């Protein structure tokens, strides 16, 4: 088997190399996980919650080392402090939700009977996590899976292979039963073989549409349940009554934070014609202030993309749009670190774009955004829906009733008003169309990680 290799986008050097797990490694991990899960399912929820919170504290203790390690693996600047603050919010919220989410459902009382629907663990949950928010995306499934009484196998992306090891270390320090949580280094072939083996009970995957299709193909006929959070091309609509300066500031951040490498990042913006010109000018001016450079430097606000191939995709989308009449507004002279053939890529704002261009239809997943003028709410909704994806959409307005009405017409998993690029752990995180299926977070997120078991007990006869 080939090794898993992490090439740092910072300088192109090899950061980590790990051996791919063998068939024997995987079989042993599964057998041990199955036994550990049987015992864990009998542990009271209060004790499970305590272990999960101990994992959180163990991870907190590692954060000073994690932040620069993340920068080296996938390029996010250290000035942003890593992912722990959002991770803590998610973990604590899921712990708080678990009592109600996992409590039995009781139908109306019927004389002589005791009836209930219990939520029982799925069994072994395979979590396949991506590199872009490697801690947050993994914890979305890992934590509720453990709270629900499952064992977890974590396969992390090659680009962030060290994150899987951090998870393992923190889980071990938290005192979880041995083998209940296992990080395995798997390549694509090994992961597909594992899914097809019928040895696991649920798969949760966050990643590309192509990856989601490969997982569905591997699971075909196994009846293994699957949760998929795939691509996004998330739109924003700015109405004339929006808080102008706030909308500009938040949308620039939503488009370019993490070098645009976010499933719910802003990739296309529709602006009402009454404020279009002013908005484009202000948006471009603020974008031009980013500092592209080494993510280990405190002054850097935009690091490299996670890999050269990802930057090449964004460059291709941008070049194609320019060749077909789009205009680029951000001056390259302000971004000397941007060099073809490297992962360093400047932020760019495109106008005179339309939906014949890939930059407005396909997931770019990088620091480029297209802005279009619209004449009405209806026109904005039509363009927002003209997409194969549907993860989030944001409406920028002072009118909450209008935002809800507009949101009702958008085919998307989440509707935001006056915010974007955020996961609220109390709400369902879900999508439509090619963005995937299933839901994570909230009480609903526990449902995919458990199965219903009905009890119909006659106590009088």
């Amino acid at each position: 088997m080939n090794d898993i290799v992490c090439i740092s986008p910072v300088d192109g050097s090899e950061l980590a190399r790990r051996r791919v797990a063998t068939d024997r490694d995987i079989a042993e991990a599964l057998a041990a996980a199955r036994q550990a899960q049987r015992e864990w399912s009998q542990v009271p929820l209060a004790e499970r919650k305590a272990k999960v919170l101990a994992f959180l504290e163990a991870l907190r203790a590692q954060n000073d080392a994690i932040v620069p390690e993340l920068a080296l693996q996938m390029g996010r600047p250290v000035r942003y402090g890593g992912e722990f603050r959002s991770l803590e919010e998610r973990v604590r919220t899921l712990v708080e939700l678990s009592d109600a989410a996992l409590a039995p459902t009781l139908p109306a009382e019927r004389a002589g009977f005791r009836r209930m629907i219990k939520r029982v663990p799925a069994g072994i949950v395979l979590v396949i996590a991506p590199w872009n928010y490697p801690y947050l995306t993994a914890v979305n499934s890992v934590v509720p899976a453990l709270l629900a009484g499952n064992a977890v196998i974590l396969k992390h992306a090659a680009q962030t292979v060290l994150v899987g090891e951090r998870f393992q270390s923190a889980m071990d320090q938290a005192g979880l039963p041995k083998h209940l949580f296992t990080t395995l280094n798997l390549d694509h072939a090994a992961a597909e073989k594992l899914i097809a083996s019928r040895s696991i009970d649920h798969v949760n995957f966050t990643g590309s549409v192509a990856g989601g299709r490969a997982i569905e193909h591997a699971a075909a006929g196994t009846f293994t349940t699957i949760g998929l959070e795939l691509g996004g091309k998330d739109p924003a609509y700015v109405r004339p009554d929006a808080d102008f300066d706030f909308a500009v500031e938040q949308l620039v951040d939503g488009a370019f934070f993490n070098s645009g490498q976010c499933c719910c990042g802003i990739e296309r913006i529709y602006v009402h014609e009454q404020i279009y010109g002013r908005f484009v000018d202000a948006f471009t001016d603020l974008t031009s202030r980013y500092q592209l450079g080494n993510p280990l430097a405190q002054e850097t606000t935009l690091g490299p993309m996670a890999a050269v191939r990802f930057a090449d995709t964004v460059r291709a989308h941008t070049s194609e749009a320019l060749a077909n009449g789009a205009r680029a507004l951000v001056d390259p002279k302000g971004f000397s670190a941007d060099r073809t053939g490297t992962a360093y890529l400047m932020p760019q704002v495109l106008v005179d774009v339309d939906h014949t261009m890939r930059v407005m239809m396909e997931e770019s997943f990088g620091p480029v955004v297209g802005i279009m003028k619209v004449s009405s709410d209806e026109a904005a909704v039509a363009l927002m829906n003209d997409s194969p994806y549907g993860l989030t959409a944001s409406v920028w307005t002072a009118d909450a009733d209008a935002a809800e009405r507009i949101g009702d017409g958008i085919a998307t998993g989440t509707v935001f008003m006056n915010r974007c690029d955020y996961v609220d752990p109390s709400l369902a995180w879900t999508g439509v169309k090619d963005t995937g299926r299933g839901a994570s977070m909230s009480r609903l997120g526990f449902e995919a990680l458990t199965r219903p078991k009905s009890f119909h007990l006659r106590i009088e006869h």
Side-chain angles (χ1 to χ4, degrees), residues 5 7 131 157-159 188 261 305-316 341-343 364-365:
V5 181
I7 301 298
W131 50 263
Q159 194 64 41
H188 291 173
Q261 298 169 126
M305 296 190 67
V308 175
R309 68 183 185 278
F310 303 141
D312 287 344
T313 295
V314 181
R315 289 185 171 105
T342 76
S364 301
F365 215 63

Side-chain angles (χ1 to χ4, degrees), residues 91-280:
V91 172
R92 293 195 182 279
T93 300
L94 290 165
V95 167
E96 291 167 2
L97 292 171
S98 62
D99 288 287
L102 298 172
T105 301
L106 305 178
E109 289 190 12
R110 178 176 293 177
F113 293 89
R114 182 186 304 160
R115 300 180 301 157
M116 71 191 80
I117 305 169
K118 292 186 177 182
R119 304 299 310 189
V120 300
I124 298 178
V125 174
L126 173 63
V127 177
I128 303 178
W131 50 263
N132 63 319
Y133 283 91
Y135 287 91
L136 293 177
T137 52
V139 87
N140 288 354
S141 299
V142 168
V143 163
L146 292 173
L147 289 169
N150 297 288
V152 174
I153 304 291
L154 174 63
K155 175 231 176 297
H156 224 299
Q159 194 64 41
T160 43
V161 65
L162 300 180
V163 175
E165 295 173 9
R166 291 286 182 184
F167 264 83
Q168 189 69 62
S169 171
M171 291 292 183
D172 293 345
Q173 291 175 48
L176 264 71
K178 194 171 178 61
H179 308 302
L180 183 71
F181 176 91
T182 305
T183 292
L184 287 178
N185 292 322
L186 306 174
D187 60 15
H188 291 173
E192 289 178 14
K193 184 176 180 180
L194 172 57
I195 294 167
S197 71
R198 304 187 72 166
S199 301
I200 53 176
D201 303 290
H202 180 75
V203 183
N204 189 276
F205 171 76
T206 304
S208 69
V209 173
R213 289 196 178 107
I215 286 169
E216 285 197 326
H217 179 77
T222 68
F223 308 120
T224 301
T225 56
I226 301 173
L228 302 173
E229 197 230 298
L230 309 176
K233 192 72 179 175
D234 289 10
Y237 169 42
V238 186
R239 301 179 87 223
D241 65 342
D243 181 328
F244 184 86
D245 292 338
F246 180 78
V248 170
E249 177 187 2
Q250 294 296 307
L251 285 170
V252 168
D253 183 70
F256 299 118
F257 186 79
N258 206 37
S259 296
Q261 298 169 126
C262 180
C263 57
C264 59
I266 297 298
E267 295 213 3
R268 51 198 176 107
I269 302 175
Y270 306 100
V271 183
H272 196 278
E273 59 188 7
Q274 292 180 22
I275 59 169
Y276 174 79
R278 181 180 166 216
F279 180 91
V280 167

Side-chain angles (χ1 to χ4, degrees), residues 356-369:
T356 67
M357 301 172 182
R358 287 194 296 166
V359 78
M360 295 299 287
M361 294 297 288
E362 296 183 13
E363 187 174 39
S364 301
F365 215 63
V368 63
V369 64

